Each structure stands twice: as C-alpha cells, then as structure tokens.
C-alpha cells in the first residue's frame, strides 16, 4: 500500500467509522450536527471574507481583544465582528510579542480529571523541570488569559487533544487568537481511548487522525526543527507498547512530521487493508508550523508512557517557548561510592574489582571530561574493621589507598555512625576528628569540602551538632541528601543552603548495599534495564542538569552492578540524546547548581513528624510537641499584645520564651531568624508536660510581623500545617496612624522628621527611605491580599479573623470564641481572668491578689487626633482593599459578624 492509498483508506475509514460511532450516540450526533452547521456557517463567512474586495478583508483588529473576559457566549450568539480570525496572519515568530507575556508566565495545562494518569505524567515532567503551570480540570470554562493586557500563559497543553478539536467556537476562537497575538504554542496528547474517535478529519485544522492502532519501529525525523536534546539517528525497533496509538495524516503543508512508526499488524487495522505493507510509515508526532492559522502546535500520537515522548515533549516545550538556545545540553554527574571500606566479609571489593573500577574510570573519562569516582570513607572499617575481610578484599582496600590520587574522597564519619543519635556535639566531633586523622595517615586529601552523613542522618531534618562538627573539623562547604524536601517524590529532590553549607540533591540509581548480583536484582534484570532504557534512571538524568548519584561499596564487588548500570546508562544517553556528560568536583558542582537554581538557596523547614523517613533520622530527644499549635500573626498595632497576655493567662495555653533580641517576639518565619533553623526555633518552647487527662498544653507564638510578610504563609504551613492561625483586623486607617505613632515614640528618626501627612503622601520623587517608611506603614493594612496569601496554604477552617474593636471593648467574648476555635480544655471563663481598668481605659489581667495588670505605656498611647487630610487620603487608599476584604469575609463565612468598622467604611 502506498502512502497516498493509505491516506485514501484513512479518509474512507474516517468517514465510515465516524458515522458508525456517531450514530451510536444520539447526543453526540446532535453536537456534531451543530458543529457541522457552525462549520458550514464559518465556511460561508470565510468565503465571504476571502472574496471581499481587497482592503475589506478583516485582519486582526489593531485594538486588542479582551482575553481577560471568560464569559462564555451562548451558542447562538454571534461572535463579535472584531474577533474574526485572520486566515492568513503572518506567523512572524521573531516578533517581540513575547514581551507582552508576563515576565513569569505559566503553562496552561488542561487535564481530564485531577487524577488522570496521562495528566499526572505531564505534571511530573513540568514539576521536575521546574516549569510553573496552572492546571485546569475539564474545560468547563476558559480561564482568563490576560491580566493588565499581559499574557498569563506561555504555552497551552491538552492532556486530550479532543478537547481542543471539539472546543466550542467561542472558546476556540478566544484561545486561537490569544495564541496568535501572544505567540503561544499548543501541545496535545492523543484522545483518551474510551471516548475517542476511531478516525476523523479535523476540518479546520486540515488534519486527519486515526486512533487505537498498534505500531512498531519508531523513527524520529532528523530534520524536525523541534529536536534539541533528542538524537534522531536511531530507529527504535520492535513493537511499541500499547494498542492505543494515534497517527496523523496531514492535508496541508503546514504540517511536518516529528516522528513515524509502522503498523504492527495491517490485518488488525482493517480487513480491507490486509494487503498493506507493514513497513508503511505513519506520522506519530506532528508539528503544525502555524502556516494555516498562525498557531504552532505539536500533537503526539501517544502519551508520555512511551519514554521517547518524554524526551520529545521536553524538546517541544523548549521549541515552543523559543528556549532551545538557552537550554543547556550539559549534564553534570557525580557518582558517590559511600561506605568505601564498610561492608561485611564477602561483600567487599577485591583487588581485581578495584583494578576494573580504575580501568572503567579511565575509559569513562574520555567521554565524560573530569570524571572520577567520589569515595566516602569510614576509617574504622579499613580491612573490614572488627569483622575482618578476605585476603583479596584486604588487597582491594590497599590498592585503593595506593591509588588515592586517582579518586576524589569525602568524609563519611569514622565509625559510620548516625549523627542524630548523638545529642552532644562532642561525640560527633570525635567521630570527625578520628576520620580526619585516618585520612592524614593514609594521604587521603582532606580539602574537598564535601562531606556525607551515613543514612542522611542529621542533614535533613537538620541536626545542628553535625553541622557544627562538619564546619569545625572538615571545613565543610558541600553535602548532599535525598531527603530534602522529601524522599518521595524523587523528581522533586532539591538543594538548599544552611549555615554556609550547600546541600545538593542526591539521586537514587536503584542500587543499594544488598544489590550485588544481576540475576537477583529485585524485580529482575529487566527492571534495572528498563530504568536505564528510558525509565526512572534515564529520566532523572534528563530532568536534572546536576546529578549526584549514591552507590555503595558492594555495588562494585560481585557483579559490579555500579559499573554495569552506569556504563549502560551512558551508552543509552549517547545513543538517544545530544546531551553532553561532564563531571566536576563536588564543590564546583554545588557552585553550578546554585547558580542555575539560586531560588533553592532558601531552605524550607518542613515538619519532621509529617514524614516517616524524616522521623527515622530525627533525634529522639526532639519532639514536634515542642512546636506551636497556634500562631497569632498580627498585623502590628491591632491589639496583638493584649491577645498574647490574655492567651497566656489561660492555664493550658503557653507562649514561647521571650526573644531577647526582639523584646518578646521570636519572629522566626520572617527575617534572618529563619536561617537559624528548626532546632533554634524549637528551643523557644518548653518541653511539654501532659496533664492528668493526657492532653498536652497548647503552645502558641505571636509575631505581629508575620501577617504581611511574603514568605511567611508558605514557611509556616511547611512546618505547622495543622496550626490555627489568628489575625486581628482594625480599621486600616487607624492602624496606620497607630503604627506611625509607635515609630515616633520608639525614636525612629524618619518618623520624627516627617508628619503623618508627609508620610502618607510620599510619592515616587520622595526620598527612598521616606517611600519605604510609607510602604511599611500602609502595606499591612491592605488586608485582603495578605489574607489571600495565607489562604493559598491554609484551609479557611484553620484561620480565625478577630475584630480588633471587639477585642478591645469585649475581650471576654473574643476569648470564649477563641477557646472554642482551638478546642482547648479546660474551657475557662474569662470573666475571672480579665476586667476593665477604668484608669487605663482597657481590659487588663486580674492577678492572684485581685490587682490589675495592664499593658505598659507603649500600648494604648494617647496622641493627637489624625490629620483630616491624611485620613481622607488613607480612606481612599484602602477603599478597594476593604471592598476585597468584604468579599473575602463573606466568602469565608466565618462564625463571627463582619467587623463594624468595615461595614461602616463600605456604607
Ligand atoms: N487591652 C488592651 N490594652 C492595651 N492596648 C490594647 C488593648 N486592647 C487593644 N489594644 C490596642 O492595641 C494596640 C497595640 O497593638 P499591638 O499590641 O498589636 O502593637 S504591636 O504591634 O505589638 O506593637 C494599641 O494601640 P495604640 O492605642 O495605638 O497604642 C491599643 O489600642
């Protein structure tokens, strides 16, 4: 069968199959009928436009279309005339239109359901390669595509291209026009089998598709402009997994094949084509260059479960984002051999193993510049340590030491002990010092700056004594772990920096201490091979520009699986990709990593009790009970100190110890304290005591600056995901004035040099420090935006918003409400704990001798009334924020009335 006869066959089949399928489904037929009628209408319209005298053909109107409107038009409503699509836009992809995309545009991903496997695979690739994306489930409504005339999305991906093909006219024209104007491409994966077409012609795209095929012998088009990482020299021989392949038959020159494959069994395809030759090549991935409608698209005939499509998908993303030149083809690799002397007799490297290892290393160096194995040693186990070694194994150790300079070396603690088991730094220090002595005795270099902890103990979650010892004894600069932020999912392994030590993400290659023989590889040899040939190990290398792999001594003994695995991996990478493998000493690797991903420098401390693997390597003396369950987040000047003292007077509620540096607040989640780490924070809380009922005390922390700090909600949620969050709101105009008065009273020179009116009217031309003061004064009162950020992380059920006016006038009601909110026992009647102090004019604590203890002079100050002009300016400033707050509070439907000041302001 020739290509054209096959296409004819497809055409014929597509008609037959489409009819057969559509007639089975009446509802579907109706949709098709409507689509058909609309298409006919569009054709008439198109013809009319094309035949109009020149000059009358509507091109894209110069005024821009409002993509931010997502109102769906009724089917029978005419598309406004200014949205007529130019049938021949000039697809000038070099235009500077990308500048109209937001500088941090996201990818828009349409998935069928939250859990659909194809969509999940796409998400893994996007996450692994750090792409920002927004996931839309179904296509109930097109999200707003622009904001402030800037494009929000740089690329659109459909898990199921049928969604795109069958999109209603309104949304389709909206999306296509957006893609043309903002130079945004589309990627589509094949229809999901159960409800897909068998064959169809996508008329407006001039493309036929045929689905549910079995294929073989995959070949990539070496001249395809999509390719970057993918090498196209090879044919993947043999049957392709799955009987749900889709192929594309272009009817227009806009299409370029990206790849082809052959029908596996022509007879299965259709009895009428049984004579077709199996070697007939069908297009399995296709690029639409945009010549037809100005939109570049790539359609795949199989999901990412086919490994080559992961490679092509990554290339397609960078092609459509015009990033090919920027995307480096270099992959840095470092292979750590942990425990180089640690291993039982009979599982260790012999002298022959060491020779083979060194030979292999020399061979690899020719193709991987700079490559050396990185050996981690625990001196105590030289020659097998207490349990001994065979003669050959002893010779193996000696041979390694005789060739010290051929390798890189790193400290792995003297006795291979786990740091988190030691609470005092002395024992860890001793371990480090003994290993250092050992290194010096055996001429092992000690200046690499790289250290690794056995079992990742103490690296993350951080055990400070380990970091202390590393810095003091080994002048450590770099380490690595597979535990940050979590062991799983592995595609999210990341690095961070703590106390000047760079922590690199570590990758698992599927080899552990017990994997020594190919025949007994867990899951079978085939499992290891498929991980190398397109599976987990291959994709790890694909996704990560910097790779630190963990292996063990035993992986280089017996069947030498370490050498086997990486040799095969390197060959496979060379065969199918244009990637260049390189190696660097660890400290240089770390420099490369953090210059590529500077955002990773910032650590995020998660809760060790939320991750069993973390708990296993967390000191037994540490307890998550030593963390607060309630955060009072501010903002400043809303009555947070009063609430702090009221909470503290409850017998079962305890605050943190005072921070001498900040008077009373710990201020951990904002500012530099965060970098001091979790151990530092936990030391502010007492070791919990259980009462007779077994219920622990409730610890809380109040730092009024948390409310409006950009990073705090994310950080707080990572550590305290179940905490109750309390915010207090007063009229933001009054809050701003109180803050200004506070600064003045505190002796702030700037606040004392400028009047309140001058501060709130500071403009772009004002001195920088004055502008900064204005921002600090006004920003916290823009409540809605800050609360939304908290709600990005915490569910609304964990957030309590207190009306600061009621806290001031009737704290008893507030404290009763708060107790119910945090479900504290015992429930205390606050009439016994606080009362109004007439002299102070505020509620104060009742002490045991029945005296009142009020807050100091700094709270409830007396100052001149606010300048009326400044007040009016601020009221105008906060108006939109208050409207947004009102909407938010109505949406949250909290079991407390809306603040009185807000109702008054909005009325
Ligand atoms: N019971 C009680 N006693 C004293 N003061 C009270 C009380 N309840 C609410 N307030 C109001 O709290 C305002 C100070 O707020 P904060 O404690 O949040 O200020 S700070 O951010 O911690 O500096 C403070 O603001 P100023 O009046 O501007 O000083 C008070 O109005």
């Amino acid at each position: 069968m020739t290509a054209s006869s096959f296409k004819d066959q497809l055409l014929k089949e597509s008609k037959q199959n489409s009819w057969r399928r559509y007639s089975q489904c009446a509802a579907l037929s109706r949709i098709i009928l409507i689509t058909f009628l609309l298409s006919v209408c569009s054709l008439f319209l198109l013809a009319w436009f094309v035949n109009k005298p020149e000059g009358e053909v509507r091109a894209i109107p110069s005024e821009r279309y409002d993509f931010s409107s997502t109102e769906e038009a009724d089917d029978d409503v005419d598309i406004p005339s200014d949205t007529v699509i130019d049938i021949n836009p000039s697809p000038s992809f070099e235009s500077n239109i990308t500048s109209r995309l937001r500088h941090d545009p996201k990818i828009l991903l349409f998935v069928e359901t939250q859990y659909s496997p194809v969509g999940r695979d796409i998400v893994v690739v996007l996450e692994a390669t750090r792409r920002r994306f927004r996931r839309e489930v179904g296509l109930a409504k097109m999200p707003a595509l622009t904001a402030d005339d800037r494009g929000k999305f740089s690329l659109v991906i459909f898990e199921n291209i049928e969604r795109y093909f069958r999109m209603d006219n309104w949304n389709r024209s909206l999306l296509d026009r957006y893609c043309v104007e903002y130079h945004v491409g589309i990627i589509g994966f094949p229809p999901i089998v159960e409800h897909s077409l068998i064959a169809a012609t996508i008329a407006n795209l001039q493309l036929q598709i045929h689905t549910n095929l079995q294929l073989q012998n995959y070949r990539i088009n070496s001249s395809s402009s999509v390719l970057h990482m993918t090498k196209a020299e090879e044919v993947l021989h043999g049957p392709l997994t799955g009987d749900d392949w889709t192929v594309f038959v272009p009817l227009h020159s806009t299409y370029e094949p990206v790849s082809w494959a052959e029908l596996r069994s022509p007879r299965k395809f259709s009895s009428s084509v049984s004579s077709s030759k199996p070697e007939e090549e069908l297009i399995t991935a296709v690029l639409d260059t945009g010549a037809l409608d100005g939109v570049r698209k790539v359609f795949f005939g199989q999901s990412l479960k086919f490994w080559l499509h992961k490679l092509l998908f990554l290339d397609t993303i960078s092609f459509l984002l015009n990033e090919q030149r920027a995307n480096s083809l270099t992959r840095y690799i470092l292979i750590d051999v942990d425990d180089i002397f640690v291993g039982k007799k009979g599982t260790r490297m012999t002298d022959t193993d060491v020779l083979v290892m060194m030979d292999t290393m020399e061979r690899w160096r020719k193709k991987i510049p700079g490559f050396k194995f990185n050996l981690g040693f625990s001196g105590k186990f030289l020659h097998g340590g207490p349990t001994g070694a065979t003669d050959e194994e002893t010779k193996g150790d000696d041979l390694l030491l005789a060739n010290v300079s051929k390798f890189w070396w790193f400290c792995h603690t003297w006795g291979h002990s786990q740091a988190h088991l030691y609470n005092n730094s002395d024992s860890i220090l001793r371990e480090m010092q003994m290993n250092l002595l050992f290194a010096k005795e055996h001429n092992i270099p000690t200046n690499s700056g790289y250290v690794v902890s056995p079992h990742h103990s103490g690296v993350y979650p951080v055990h400070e004594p380990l970091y202390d010892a590393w810095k003091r004894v080994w002048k450590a600069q770099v380490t690595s772990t597979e535990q940050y932020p979590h062991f799983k999912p592995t595609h999210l392994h990341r690095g961070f920096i703590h106390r000047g030590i760079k922590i690199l993400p570590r990758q698992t290659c599927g080899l552990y201490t017990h994997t020594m023989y190919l025949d007994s590889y867990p899951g079978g040899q085939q499992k290891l091979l498929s991980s190398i040939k397109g599976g987990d190990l291959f994709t790890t290398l694909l996704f990560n520009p910097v790779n630190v792999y963990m292996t063990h001594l035993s992986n280089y003994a017996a069947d030498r699986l370490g050498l086997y695995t990486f040799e095969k991996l390197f060959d496979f990478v060379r065969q199918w990709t244009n990637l260049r493998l390189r190696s660097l000493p660890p400290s240089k690797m770390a420099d490369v990593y953090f210059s590529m991903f500077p955002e990773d420098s910032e650590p995020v401390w998660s809760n060790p009790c939320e991750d069993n693997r973390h708990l296993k390597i967390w000191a037994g003396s540490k307890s998550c009970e030593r963390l607060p369950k309630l955060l009072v987040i501010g903002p400043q000047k809303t009555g947070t100190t009063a609430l702090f003292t009221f909470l503290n007077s409850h017998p079962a509620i305890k605050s943190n110890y005072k921070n001498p540096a900040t008077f009373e607040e710990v201020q951990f989640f904002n500012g530099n304290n965060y970098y001091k780490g979790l151990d530092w924070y936990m030391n502010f809380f007492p070791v919990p005591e259980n009462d007779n009922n077994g219920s622990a005390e409730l610890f809380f922390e109040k730092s009024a600056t948390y409310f409006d700090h950009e990073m705090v909600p994310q950080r707080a949620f990572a550590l305290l995901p179940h905490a109750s969050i309390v915010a207090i709101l007063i009229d933001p105009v009054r809050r701003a004035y109180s803050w200004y008065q506070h600064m003045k009273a505190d002796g702030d020179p700037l606040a004392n040099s400028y009047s309140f009116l001058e501060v709130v009217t500071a403009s772009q031309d004002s001195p920088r420090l004055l502008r900064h003061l204005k921002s600090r004064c006004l920003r916290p009162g823009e409540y809605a935006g800050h609360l939304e950020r908290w709600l990005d992380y915490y569910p609304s059920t964990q957030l309590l918003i207190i009306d600061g006016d009621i806290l001031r006038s009737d704290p008893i009601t507030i404290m009763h409400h708060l107790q119910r909110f945090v479900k504290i026992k015992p429930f205390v009647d606050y009439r016994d704990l606080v009362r109004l102090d007439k002299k102070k004019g505020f509620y104060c604590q009742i002490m045991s001798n029945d005296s009142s203890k009020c807050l100091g002079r700094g709270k409830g100050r007396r100052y001149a009334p606010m300048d009326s002009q400044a007040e009016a300016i601020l009221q105008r400033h906060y108006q939109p924020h208050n409207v947004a707050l009102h909407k938010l509070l109505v949406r949250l439907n909290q079991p407390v009335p809306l603040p009185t000041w807000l109702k008054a302001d909005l009325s």
Side-chain angles (χ1 to χ4, degrees):
M1 192 188 208
T2 62
S4 63
S5 64
F6 178 72
K7 282 177 197 160
D8 289 346
Q9 180 62 38
L10 263 182
L11 193 57
K12 219 165 97 193
E13 285 216 357
S14 67
K15 282 178 191 155
Q16 284 168 357
N17 287 329
S18 303
W19 174 245
R20 196 184 321 129
R21 188 169 174 89
Y22 295 153
S23 59
Q24 282 169 357
C25 177
L28 208 57
S29 305
R30 271 201 300 280
I31 295 167
I32 299 298
L33 191 65
I34 291 165
T35 316
F36 174 74
L37 287 173
L38 281 171
S39 310
V40 171
C41 290
S42 322
L43 275 174
F44 267 104
L45 270 172
L46 208 61
W48 181 72
F49 280 116
V50 171
N51 291 324
K52 268 175 87 173
E54 255 186 57
E56 280 188 44
V57 175
R58 295 291 299 268
I60 293 176
S62 53
E63 71 274 26
R64 289 179 198 131
Y65 185 68
D66 182 12
F67 296 105
S68 55
S69 156
T70 61
E71 292 301 306
E72 265 184 280
D74 291 334
D75 270 358
D76 55 354
V77 173
D78 286 343
I79 295 174
S81 58
D82 65 350
T83 65
V84 171
I85 298 170
D86 183 1
I87 54 159
N88 236 337
S90 135
S92 162
F93 298 123
E94 303 311 318
S95 69
N96 65 355
I97 215 149
T98 39
S99 63
R100 281 179 53 211
L101 290 171
R102 269 188 191 294
H103 42 262
D104 58 345
K106 290 180 180 167
I107 290 172
L108 177 58
L109 168 64
F110 290 104
V111 292
E112 295 297 286
T113 70
Q114 198 77 30
Y115 306 102
S116 41
V118 180
R120 269 208 321 256
D121 284 349
I122 297 171
V123 166
V124 166
V125 173
L126 298 181
E127 283 179 344
T129 52
R130 299 167 188 251
R131 302 283 183 184
R132 298 179 67 241
F133 65 95
R134 168 170 164 171
R135 187 177 2 195
E136 283 289 321
V137 179
L139 190 54
K141 198 173 175 217
M142 179 71 69
L145 300 172
T146 60
D148 307 330
D149 194 35
R150 296 224 161 231
K152 287 169 72 178
F153 303 106
S154 53
L155 180 68
V156 183
I157 302 176
F158 287 89
E159 175 191 2
N160 176 3
I161 30 171
E162 219 174 335
R163 289 270 177 199
Y164 176 65
F165 294 159
R166 289 184 169 192
M167 199 179 272
D168 66 89
N169 279 358
W170 173 261
N171 279 325
R172 177 64 180 276
S173 96
L174 192 73
L175 182 64
D176 283 349
R177 281 184 57 84
Y178 172 79
C179 290
V180 171
E181 270 207 39
Y182 290 85
H183 178 33
V184 165
I186 293 176
I187 300 177
F189 289 92
I192 311 266
V193 184
E194 306 92 77
H195 52 88
S196 68
L197 305 171
I198 302 298
T201 303
I202 317 301
N204 51 5
L205 289 177
Q206 304 228 17
L207 183 71
Q208 288 169 10
I209 63 165
H210 199 107
T211 67
N212 297 327
L213 298 176
Q214 293 184 336
L215 302 179
Q216 62 181 1
N217 302 344
Y218 196 93
R219 185 165 72 86
I220 295 165
N221 177 6
S222 58
S223 58
S224 169
S225 36
V226 168
L227 306 188
H228 181 55
M229 281 197 289
T230 317
K231 206 186 246 179
E233 287 159 19
E234 303 278 343
V235 176
L236 185 71
H237 290 286
L240 302 173
T241 317
D243 53 6
D244 54 350
W245 281 79
T246 295
V247 294
F248 304 92
V249 181
L251 305 173
H252 191 278
S253 58
T254 186
Y255 293 101
E256 282 177 16
V258 177
S259 60
W260 301 273
E262 300 159 12
L263 276 176
R264 210 193 295 172
S265 154
R267 232 160 271 123
K268 282 226 170 115
F269 176 67
S270 157
S271 54
S272 58
V273 290
S274 56
S275 61
S276 69
K277 280 186 249 148
E279 68 271 17
E280 180 71 49
E281 283 197 314
L282 304 169
I283 298 175
T284 42
V286 69
L287 163 69
D288 175 350
T289 57
L292 193 63
D293 60 7
V295 185
R296 293 192 299 177
K297 311 172 198 80
V298 175
F299 298 135
F300 286 92
Q302 179 57 283
S303 67
L304 298 179
K305 74 183 175 197
F306 176 54
W307 70 268
L308 253 171
H309 280 183
K310 278 193 188 142
L311 196 53
L312 285 173
F313 179 47
L314 286 177
D315 277 354
T316 303
I317 293 174
S318 43
F319 170 73
L320 292 177
L321 293 176
N322 300 311
E323 281 178 353
Q324 282 173 318
R325 253 175 292 165
N327 278 354
S328 168
L329 290 170
T330 304
R331 292 291 179 275
Y332 293 94
I333 55 157
L334 179 70
I335 301 181
D336 285 358
V337 188
D338 290 356
D339 328 332
I340 194 64
F341 301 126
V342 187
K344 282 196 204 117
K345 194 174 183 172
T347 66
R348 304 164 61 87
M349 285 166 79
T350 63
D351 48 347
T352 321
D353 294 327
V354 174
L355 283 174
V356 175
M357 185 191 215
M358 289 196 295
D359 277 356
T360 310
M361 186 163 65
E362 283 312 310
R363 205 155 31 78
W364 287 357
R365 276 168 78 80
K366 295 197 180 101
K367 295 202 172 133
I368 309 171
F371 182 82
K372 280 185 180 187
F373 279 107
N374 194 25
L375 309 187
F377 60 95
S378 296
K380 182 178 172 187
F381 297 95
L382 180 71
H383 300 156
T387 53
T390 65
D391 287 350
E392 289 74 23
E393 289 170 346
T394 302
K395 281 189 214 152
D397 284 2
D398 293 339
L399 197 56
L400 283 170
L401 290 174
N403 288 281
V404 151
S405 62
K406 294 207 165 128
F407 301 94
W408 290 317
W409 295 81
F410 63 90
C411 171
H412 201 48
T413 73
W414 162 257
H416 200 253
S417 43
Q418 300 183 35
H420 75 277
L421 301 175
Y422 300 95
N423 266 334
N424 75 41
S425 357
D426 290 350
S427 326
I428 305 175
L429 265 178
R430 231 184 354 265
E431 281 271 321
M432 299 289 169
Q433 278 157 346
M434 283 164 80
N435 224 24
L436 182 68
L437 215 62
F438 171 84
K440 286 183 175 158
E441 274 169 18
H442 294 89
N443 296 323
I444 294 175
T446 57
N447 59 355
S448 76
Y450 186 60
V451 282
V452 170
S453 177
H455 303 275
H456 309 269
S457 154
V459 184
Y460 191 82
V462 165
H463 192 53
E464 298 297 349
L466 173 69
Y467 281 71
D468 287 337
W470 269 347
K471 282 173 87 85
R472 278 180 61 183
V473 183
W474 283 92
K475 313 232 169 336
Q477 298 155 22
V478 187
T479 181
S480 60
T481 185
E482 55 175 13
Q483 296 291 344
Y484 180 79
H486 299 283
F487 176 64
K488 286 218 161 136
T490 49
H491 73 271
L492 289 181
H493 285 180
R494 297 285 186 259
F496 67 101
I497 300 181
H498 182 52
R499 297 175 58 191
I501 298 185
K502 295 174 178 139
I503 295 92
L504 284 172
R506 224 166 200 235
Q507 310 299 347
T508 323
C509 63
L511 301 180
Y512 303 94
T513 32
H514 55 271
T515 34
M516 295 180 64
Y517 298 95
L518 197 52
D519 284 349
S520 53
Y521 185 84
Q525 179 181 351
Q526 206 44 46
K527 185 151 184 241
L528 179 61
L529 284 176
S530 46
S531 169
I532 296 165
K533 299 187 173 192
D536 287 348
L537 188 52
F538 175 73
T539 44
T540 299
L541 190 78
L542 208 59
F543 292 156
N544 295 297
V546 174
N547 293 270
V548 181
Y549 291 105
M550 175 177 64
T551 63
H552 311 270
L553 167 81
S554 51
N555 305 141
Y556 299 86
D559 279 358
R560 301 175 193 136
L561 287 185
L563 302 181
Y564 172 88
T565 302
F566 283 101
E567 179 101 39
K568 286 238 170 314
L569 177 68
F570 299 153
D571 286 349
F572 191 78
V573 167
R574 258 177 241 121
Q575 187 182 0
W576 289 102
T577 76
N578 297 314
L579 294 176
R580 293 183 292 259
L581 302 181
R582 296 274 179 281
S583 196
L584 286 173
S587 61
K588 294 255 163 39
M589 288 272 272
D591 291 345
V592 170
Y593 180 86
F594 286 100
S595 67
M596 271 180 191
F597 308 117
E599 68 281 8
D600 277 15
S601 316
E602 290 274 335
V604 176
W605 310 123
S606 59
N607 189 315
C609 297
E610 299 285 316
D611 182 325
N612 276 336
R613 290 184 81 109
H614 286 172
L615 264 188
K616 279 190 190 135
I617 49 171
W618 204 40
S621 57
K622 296 178 189 175
S623 156
C624 292
E625 291 303 315
R626 244 183 130 183
L627 287 170
K629 292 199 172 75
L630 167 65
L631 282 186
V632 179
I633 59 172
Q636 284 179 298
K637 308 317 294 175
T638 54
T640 56
T641 318
L643 183 63
F644 175 90
T645 53
F646 298 159
L647 279 169
N648 237 352
S649 59
H650 192 290
I653 301 180
K654 265 197 187 142
S655 73
N656 52 281
Y657 303 129
K658 287 185 180 180
N659 182 354
T662 51
F663 305 108
E664 77 249 18
E665 297 187 343
V666 186
Q667 299 195 356
F668 173 64
F669 294 104
N670 59 316
N672 287 336
N673 287 336
Y674 192 67
Y675 306 116
K676 294 178 180 161
L678 182 54
D679 290 2
W680 181 87
Y681 185 49
M682 291 209 316
N683 282 335
F684 279 93
F685 296 92
V687 178
E689 296 161 19
N690 282 356
D691 69 12
N692 295 337
N693 299 325
S695 64
E697 291 155 317
L698 184 137
F699 294 149
F700 79 99
E701 193 231 323
K702 171 275 229 204
S703 291
T705 42
Y706 285 168
F707 180 77
D708 51 289
H709 192 282
E710 205 75 33
M711 298 292 289
V712 173
Q714 183 201 356
R715 289 172 174 176
F717 185 72
L719 187 63
L720 311 168
H722 309 296
S724 304
I725 307 296
V726 175
I728 311 170
L729 307 183
I730 61 168
D731 179 355
V733 178
R734 269 195 293 124
R735 198 214 69 85
Y737 190 49
S738 167
W739 186 84
Y740 169 77
Q741 291 297 343
H742 169 96
M743 295 303 279
K744 262 179 86 140
D746 243 22
D748 181 83
L750 217 58
N752 279 299
S753 320
Y754 293 99
S755 72
F756 187 54
L757 181 62
E758 283 169 323
V759 173
V760 301
T761 52
S763 68
Q764 286 306 328
D765 306 325
S766 305
R768 193 180 57 83
L769 286 176
L770 179 58
R771 277 184 283 131
H772 183 58
L773 186 74
K774 176 185 174 182
S775 159
R776 287 176 61 210
C777 182
L778 267 55
R779 241 181 73 85
E782 296 160 4
Y783 296 142
H786 302 304
L787 286 170
E788 290 286 8
R789 205 170 43 246
W790 281 91
L791 288 165
D792 282 345
Y793 295 92
Y794 284 95
S796 58
T797 46
Q798 280 173 244
L799 176 69
L800 179 70
I801 296 167
I802 290 178
D803 180 346
D805 286 347
I806 304 184
L807 175 69
R808 182 176 169 154
S809 62
D810 180 12
I812 293 165
T813 302
I814 294 285
M815 294 315 291
H816 288 175
H817 182 65
L818 214 161
Q819 288 183 85
R820 281 190 286 273
F821 178 66
V822 294
K823 299 187 180 80
I824 191 79
K825 279 183 197 156
F827 184 92
V828 169
D829 189 343
Y830 263 78
R831 280 176 299 189
D832 302 332
L833 297 182
V834 297
R835 72 175 160 225
L836 183 66
D837 183 283
K838 294 225 172 78
K839 201 160 145 230
K840 175 84 178 172
F842 285 96
Y843 273 79
C844 303
Q845 274 177 279
I846 304 172
M847 304 310 282
S848 51
N849 62 0
D850 201 38
S851 64
S852 299
K853 189 177 172 210
C854 299
L855 296 184
R857 275 190 301 155
K859 311 289 162 182
R861 285 195 182 91
R862 291 177 205 283
Y863 32 79
M866 201 183 320
D867 177 290
S868 59
Q869 202 187 337
E871 187 171 359
I873 288 169
L874 284 190
Q875 256 152 10
R876 267 201 308 281
H877 174 83
Y878 284 120
Q879 231 282 330
H881 300 287
N882 285 347
V883 171
L885 176 68
H886 185 268
K887 276 192 196 158
L888 176 71
L889 293 181
V890 169
R891 189 180 93 212
L892 292 182
N893 195 18
Q894 292 231 333
V896 281
L898 289 175
T900 38
W901 58 264
L902 182 63
K903 277 194 271 185
D905 185 76
L906 295 180
S907 64

